[in-house]
Amino acid sequence: MDTPLSVTDLMGLTDAETVLTDLGSRMQTGTLVPYLGPGLATLGNAAVPTTFEALAAFFAAKVALPRRAKGNPWAAAQHIESTKHRSTVSALMTEAFHSPVEPTAFHHHLATLPLPMIVDTWYDGAMSAALAARLDWGEVQGITRAGIGEDRWYRFYDAAGQEADRTVAEAWRTVLYKPHGSIVPVRNFLISDADYVEVLTEIDIQTPIPDIVKDRRTNRDFLFLGCRFHDQLLRTYARQITKRSDGQRYAVVDPTIMTRNELKFFRAQGITPLAIPLDRAVEVLLAAP
């Protein structure tokens, strides 16, 4: 049985602000990797789903789902793919994330920093929009292998949104890693259970993780912002993306909704949870000297 939640396992607001001030300074030197989740979209006026539950509800509003698929976006997408067509799933994801998400002040701040890598796990294009003023960056996106007839796990895109190769990517000052895909530039989406079958089979040996990500995570700290880990898939991705990074790991959390499995995951992965509202955490990071 999971260990019950305890406030003694979490850092209080004052300690969290002290730690975040230090982490903000580390970001400015490029020694920390921001790992962004859907929660960041809630800090702006996003007209897209900002939680996995909201995405599942969007699917349910468009297609009649069996009980087992309700509330679970991956199962919902799989049901739609199986009973209709993959193109229907892609069309619904495009509809869900069609409205551009304006970058927040924090996105713009990250875009000014010498960060070797930013991990962004949601499907919106806010972070790429913030980076658009620069030419020395590009992104690598996870892609579905369903029906593409290619032995590839990801694709590279330059600052202009054109597909690139890994040789070009090596020269980018900042790599934006979108492990689940994105609405921009070409609507890559990993969302259905089938999308993840091969990925989760291979991810323990790191095959689906791009070499450029493996290189740029080395000897760097990670800070999870706007992320939840209440599903095994989300925990698996976070564990494998940060694997062998050898740095410290922190996560901004809301202890009122954190599950026992999330706390267990933090303990197992050496992640220090910081109990502080996300909007306040961002304020502290922005103000860091």
Side-chain angles (χ1 to χ4, degrees):
M1 182 176 293
D2 293 335
T3 304
L5 287 179
S6 170
V7 293
T8 60
D9 292 303
L10 304 176
M11 300 186 70
L13 182 62
T14 302
D15 287 337
E17 293 198 2
T18 300
V19 171
L20 284 166
T21 297
D22 178 58
L23 296 181
S25 296
R26 287 191 228 174
M27 278 200 306
Q28 295 175 34
T29 64
T31 59
L32 181 144
V33 176
Y35 189 113
L36 312 180
L40 271 189
T42 65
L43 300 182
N45 296 316
V48 302
T50 57
T51 66
F52 289 99
E53 292 76 15
L55 182 54
F58 173 84
F59 286 139
K62 299 296 180 177
V63 177
L65 299 174
R67 181 177 299 177
R68 61 175 176 77
K70 291 181 178 179
N72 183 316
W74 308 285
Q78 184 59 49
H79 173 78
I80 296 168
E81 183 173 323
S82 300
T83 60
K84 295 183 180 295
H85 196 272
R86 174 67 194 192
S87 61
T88 304
V89 176
S90 297
L92 287 174
M93 286 293 289
T94 299
E95 181 181 349
F97 291 93
H98 175 72
S99 297
V101 177
E102 292 297 322
T104 65
F106 186 64
H107 288 107
H108 285 298
H109 176 66
L110 293 180
T112 67
L113 302 180
L115 293 165
M117 182 167 68
I118 301 169
V119 180
D120 185 354
T121 62
W122 205 225
Y123 302 100
D124 66 88
M127 192 64 244
S128 57
L131 287 162
R134 293 169 44 182
L135 299 176
D136 58 350
W137 72 282
E139 57 189 299
V140 53
Q141 296 184 0
I143 59 172
T144 179
R145 288 156 62 90
I148 66 170
E150 300 177 30
D151 187 24
R152 290 204 284 176
W153 300 94
Y154 43 81
R155 289 194 174 112
F156 298 91
Y157 300 93
D158 64 20
Q162 299 299 309
E163 190 168 352
D165 61 36
R166 67 186 66 205
T167 303
V168 172
E170 293 293 340
W172 293 338
R173 186 181 190 188
T174 297
V175 169
L176 175 61
Y177 180 35
K178 304 278 284 189
H180 305 286
S182 175
I183 185 69
V184 294
V186 295
R187 302 173 183 174
N188 290 316
F189 303 117
L190 274 78
I191 182 61
S192 71
D193 285 338
D195 289 339
Y196 290 106
V197 168
E198 289 185 315
V199 176
L200 295 178
T201 299
E202 298 271 346
I203 202 167
D204 280 347
I205 58 173
Q206 295 277 286
T207 308
I209 307 297
D211 287 340
I212 196 170
V213 172
K214 298 175 191 175
D215 292 341
R216 298 194 181 208
R217 72 187 176 189
T218 304
N219 297 323
R220 289 193 168 90
D221 304 326
F222 275 80
L223 174 61
F224 298 95
L225 289 158
C227 301
R228 291 293 309 278
F229 300 106
H230 54 319
D231 186 272
Q232 183 62 33
L233 185 148
L234 304 176
R235 295 192 291 270
T236 297
Y237 262 80
R239 181 171 61 250
Q240 296 300 335
I241 289 171
T242 62
K243 194 173 186 177
R244 303 191 186 98
S245 60
D246 298 324
Q248 297 175 309
R249 301 166 188 174
Y250 301 86
V252 171
V253 303
D254 179 351
T256 65
I257 61 173
M258 191 168 64
T259 66
R260 288 189 294 271
N261 277 336
E262 286 179 283
L263 182 57
K264 185 177 179 180
F265 170 71
F266 292 151
R267 288 171 169 168
Q269 296 303 308
I271 298 171
T272 301
L274 305 173
I276 182 172
L278 181 60
D279 56 352
R280 178 55 188 158
V282 167
E283 288 178 2
V284 174
L285 290 169
L286 289 173

